[in-house]
Amino acid sequence: MKKITANIYYVGVNDRRKELFENLWPLPGGVSYNSYLITDQKTALVDTVDICYSDLFFKKIDAVLNGRPLDYLIVDHMEPDHAGSIRLLRQSYPGIQIVGNKHTFGMLAGYHGITDGLHEVKEGDTLALGQHRLTFYMAPMVHWPEVMVAYEETEKILFSADAFGTYGTLDGGVIDSEMNTDRYWDEMVRYYANIVGKYGNPVQKILQKLNLPDIQTICSTHGPVWHEHKDRAVGIYDRLSRYEGEKGVTIIYGSMYGHTEQMAEAIATSLAGSGIREIVMHDASKSPASYILKDVFKYRGLIAGSPTYSGQLFPEIESILKKIELREVKNRLYGCFGSFTWAGVAVKRLIAFGETMKWEMVGEPVEQKQAMRADTYEKCLSLGKAMAARLDADENLNS
């Protein structure tokens, strides 16, 4: 365990073994499951951890309590990586009161069969522990319907559920001031894009609801405790939830024999020659969707390319476009290109995708029959130049 303040302890755990978060998203740097224990006249645990780590988790709790009872469990989020140990915790501490909202309790019954010993809270309700007092704010669809956050007014700490979370284990330090945080920022964007991405409006609502200047520390359920870099973490979530991309371009393409890839290379060359410094290229057959989504959220420009495959889009391109559509990404500048041998369909489908997303089409779509020709190459260069010019216009407008 680790002290956050004099009476608030970190009792979370690290998971360095899981390869895929939600059985979808790669975890090369692992992930932490964060839980916090407040010791006052009354004791309160904020969230639990994945059941795989319950034994270590309970030892940490017992060490802090040192024989004291555990009075409350605050359930900010019912996803199993945070709520998985609740049933075992109730068995260890049968007198515990479980604090949540009405949506929490429906899931608590469904997952764990627990229907008694419940303390329901609503928007603005408080729970006094002694010197510490928690105020609860509902945060539905950030990113489940039962999510709430708890603000501890004495220490000015926000227990934020998954909000402001990130991939990556906590390797020694827990509070951001104790570590080099460089590796977490891109992982925060990837985490947001993978997990929270669809729910930009609910994130904006909770950001507007909270008195952010008064909050000094954010205790999320994944990643570091944000104190020194709290404003940066909030800023990233604010920008991503407004779908405000940085100046840069993500090029996503599929290619069977290299012809569509040649088009992507030509477009990238043109972008660079036009002064765009942030260019990311993803071969959809190789890059995990997790990282493609991260860059789609990160950058304002998106250019997608696909060969025609059995009268359809290339399967890996179709798959990633569906994932982007699921997240309802807004406000992107969009271009597209594609190739075919005998019957062109891909570019038509890519144009339709952009229309579905209500994105601004930039430049002329480029379609190549069979191998690259000089005129096709020039059209690819023109598409890159058009995207660069449109990004420059955005920058000039905002400067």
Side-chain angles (χ1 to χ4, degrees):
M1 65 279 189
K2 169 79 177 180
K3 277 193 174 185
I4 305 299
T5 66
N7 297 104
I8 299 178
Y9 295 80
Y10 175 87
V11 290
V13 299
N14 287 304
D15 187 343
R16 296 184 178 87
R17 295 188 176 185
K18 190 186 301 297
E19 294 190 12
L20 295 174
F21 194 73
E22 295 185 338
N23 214 24
L24 285 169
W25 316 116
L27 289 174
V31 68
S32 67
Y33 309 123
N34 299 345
S35 174
Y36 306 92
L37 181 57
I38 305 170
T39 58
D40 203 323
Q41 293 175 22
K42 296 286 187 178
T43 60
L45 181 70
V46 183
D47 291 308
T48 70
V49 303
D50 192 298
I51 193 170
C52 298
Y53 293 90
S54 58
D55 185 55
L56 174 60
F57 175 54
F58 292 159
K59 287 178 180 178
K60 290 186 175 186
I61 294 170
D62 291 344
V64 174
L65 291 176
N66 194 26
R68 291 188 63 184
L70 183 57
D71 297 302
Y72 296 105
L73 168 65
I74 315 298
V75 182
D76 283 334
H77 185 22
M78 272 298 300
E79 201 167 3
D81 56 332
H82 306 300
S85 297
I86 289 178
R87 187 187 314 169
L88 294 178
L89 186 75
R90 167 59 72 83
Q91 291 173 5
S92 296
Y93 298 95
I96 194 173
Q97 289 286 300
I98 300 178
V99 180
N101 57 68
K102 63 179 181 179
H103 298 295
T104 309
F105 296 153
M107 294 183 184
L108 194 63
Y111 276 115
H112 298 294
I114 296 174
T115 57
D116 61 350
L118 308 180
H119 179 90
E120 182 178 345
V121 292
K122 300 176 182 177
E123 180 77 19
D125 284 353
T126 62
L127 180 68
L129 303 176
Q131 293 183 351
H132 298 80
R133 188 172 75 163
L134 296 167
T135 303
F136 299 96
Y137 300 94
M138 302 303 114
M141 302 319 300
V142 186
H143 55 112
W144 276 25
E146 88 301 350
V147 174
M148 64 183 191
V149 300
Y151 177 63
E152 201 294 297
E153 61 186 42
T154 303
E155 307 278 6
K156 300 185 184 303
I157 292 177
L158 178 70
F159 297 98
S160 64
D162 273 352
F164 314 112
T166 175
Y167 297 130
T169 55
L170 300 175
D171 301 338
V174 170
I175 303 171
D176 59 2
S177 56
E178 303 172 329
M179 64 183 76
N180 182 342
T181 59
D182 289 351
R183 72 185 180 100
Y184 292 105
W185 301 119
D186 249 16
E187 287 293 77
M188 176 176 277
V189 176
R190 186 167 72 93
Y191 175 86
Y192 182 96
N194 296 172
I195 309 301
V196 188
K198 181 174 182 173
Y199 303 108
N201 288 335
V203 172
Q204 279 294 302
K205 287 179 181 178
I206 190 64
L207 289 176
Q208 292 161 15
K209 184 186 297 188
L210 298 172
N211 182 14
L212 293 169
D214 199 43
I215 296 169
Q216 294 184 1
T217 304
I218 296 176
C219 293
S220 175
T221 47
H222 295 294
V225 170
W226 300 115
H227 179 70
E228 186 176 288
H229 300 292
K230 182 261 297 183
D231 290 343
R232 183 173 180 180
V234 171
I236 289 173
Y237 266 67
D238 182 34
R239 176 175 56 78
L240 293 172
S241 61
R242 286 186 284 110
Y243 305 96
E244 184 182 290
E246 300 174 17
K247 184 180 180 181
V249 180
T250 304
I251 301 174
I252 310 168
Y253 68 91
S255 192
M256 290 179 283
Y257 301 109
H259 299 107
T260 314
E261 183 174 38
Q262 289 176 26
M263 300 176 76
E265 295 281 6
I267 294 166
T269 298
S270 179
L271 286 165
S274 301
I276 302 301
R277 295 293 174 259
E278 297 294 338
I279 304 165
V280 183
M281 299 183 68
H282 286 290
D283 180 340
S285 296
K286 182 178 180 182
S287 293
S290 176
Y291 293 89
I292 299 175
L293 290 169
K294 184 248 314 182
D295 290 326
V296 169
F297 270 83
K298 187 172 183 179
Y299 296 115
R300 173 89 158 114
L302 172 61
I303 302 177
S306 174
T308 295
Y309 186 91
S310 295
Q312 305 288 331
L313 286 170
F314 187 63
E316 298 306 318
I317 290 296
E318 185 169 23
S319 176
I320 190 61
L321 294 185
K322 285 183 177 179
K323 290 179 174 66
I324 294 169
E325 185 177 359
L326 176 66
R327 284 155 181 78
E328 300 177 7
V329 181
K330 298 175 178 61
N331 305 327
R332 288 299 174 264
L333 303 174
Y334 179 63
C336 63
F337 63 98
S339 64
F340 68 97
T341 295
W342 68 90
V345 171
V347 170
K348 294 184 181 70
R349 297 289 175 88
L350 292 173
I351 292 171
F353 171 75
E355 292 171 347
T356 297
M357 299 301 293
K358 299 180 181 178
W359 290 343
E360 179 182 338
M361 180 68 76
V362 176
E364 290 294 325
V366 184
E367 188 170 46
Q368 170 179 280
K369 183 175 182 179
Q370 297 156 9
M372 177 77 79
R373 298 188 305 271
D375 62 330
T376 308
Y377 184 78
E378 290 301 321
K379 289 177 182 178
C380 290
L381 296 182
S382 294
L383 176 55
K385 289 175 183 176
M387 181 62 78
R390 183 63 184 81
L391 288 167
D392 286 340
D394 260 4
E395 186 176 50
N396 293 334
L397 183 64
N398 296 326
S399 61

